[in-house]
Amino acid sequence: MIPIRQFEAGKHLFMATRRGVVKKTELSAYANPRVGGIIALTLDEGDELHSVRLTDGQDEIFLATRQGMAIRFSENAVRPIGRVGRGVNGIDLVAGDAVVAAEVVRPGSAILTVSERGYGKRTELSEYRLQGRGGKGILNLRVTEKNGPVVSALQVQEQDQVMMISQEGKVNRLPVREISLIGRATQGVRLQGLEASDRVAAVTSLVADEIGR
């Protein structure tokens, strides 16, 4: 869900699919929905929409994948197209990989990456150099049997908190400042203890000004 106060000129909806396709469309194109809905984008067979973000046309985009890759590129590399368009490749995925996160880059943030087995880490945003759209990206997390594939990657600041929820309903909440700040090509550290059959299902951040409400 994207909350919209008004359909401002210059604003865009930026979409990313599981297979790495990205698309940017002017926000005004969605101002007049019909009762039965309107087409937001055209998907390839077997693909699905993963994320939608509101952008100003001059932002930078960060994509992260299940097998531990990531790419950061300028939004300007994606030209605006109409609602029914397919979009273009945002990241070149290897067989079996999929996009698990799409973020609009916020200066001063770090990237928190969390894997299925409850491991994670923070990495400085500066370690993700700006690249061209459509490349293979760079290593974000070293995926092993121990830590498992990436579940989510999101931007956080030191004063925030993060909540992790497992498939079997176990919840863990911890301050971001307690999560190790380490480099990209690492496995991370244990953030949540899980039973052998359990996996992390979802991760969300609680920003500082929302904590305690």
Side-chain angles (χ1 to χ4, degrees):
M1 297 179 66
I2 306 292
I4 303 295
R5 294 183 182 276
Q6 57 184 353
F7 290 86
E8 301 176 55
K11 294 292 187 179
H12 298 80
L13 289 185
F14 194 97
M15 306 183 184
T17 76
R18 291 282 186 186
R19 290 186 175 177
V21 175
V22 296
K23 177 192 168 186
K24 180 172 71 174
T25 301
E26 292 183 6
L27 180 61
S28 59
Y30 302 92
N32 299 299
R34 304 184 183 95
V35 174
I38 56 177
I39 296 173
L41 81 162
T42 297
L43 288 168
D44 296 337
E45 185 176 355
D47 200 0
E48 61 183 39
L49 180 63
H50 179 274
S51 300
V52 183
R53 300 287 182 257
L54 185 64
T55 68
D56 64 11
Q58 304 297 320
D59 288 317
E60 292 178 1
I61 305 298
F62 176 87
L63 302 179
T65 80
R66 179 174 171 80
Q67 294 302 320
M69 301 300 291
I71 192 169
R72 176 182 177 182
F73 58 87
S74 172
E75 181 187 357
N76 286 322
V78 182
R79 65 178 180 85
I81 59 175
R83 288 189 295 104
V84 298
R86 169 190 181 273
V88 295
N89 289 337
I91 185 169
D92 183 13
L93 301 174
V94 300
D97 203 359
V99 169
V100 295
E103 294 278 299
V104 177
V105 172
R106 301 195 312 267
S109 298
I111 299 295
L112 171 64
T113 304
V114 178
S115 68
E116 278 191 353
R117 297 295 297 143
Y119 285 75
K121 65 183 176 71
R122 286 186 295 150
T123 302
E124 294 282 7
L125 192 60
S126 59
E127 291 206 27
Y128 303 92
R129 67 182 185 275
L130 197 65
Q131 297 180 275
R133 173 192 61 79
K136 293 186 178 298
I138 56 178
L139 188 62
N140 175 39
L141 180 83
R142 193 172 298 281
V143 173
T144 66
E145 186 175 341
K146 177 181 178 181
N147 61 359
V150 175
V151 172
S152 182
L154 59 158
Q155 292 177 97
V156 293
Q157 300 196 4
E158 194 166 277
Q159 65 270 26
D160 298 340
Q161 294 187 14
V162 63
M163 183 175 292
M164 302 167 59
I165 306 169
S166 79
Q167 293 176 354
E168 296 181 4
K170 187 173 183 180
V171 177
N172 188 37
R173 177 174 171 177
L174 67 161
V176 164
R177 64 172 55 91
E178 294 183 4
I179 301 173
S180 298
L181 188 63
I182 53 181
R184 291 185 295 102
T186 55
Q187 297 183 47
V189 298
R190 186 181 293 277
L191 303 182
Q192 182 175 22
L194 299 172
E195 300 295 331
S197 61
D198 203 2
R199 299 289 185 272
V200 174
V203 184
T204 188
S205 61
L206 306 173
V207 299
D209 61 358
E210 292 180 351
I211 296 171
R213 287 185 183 179

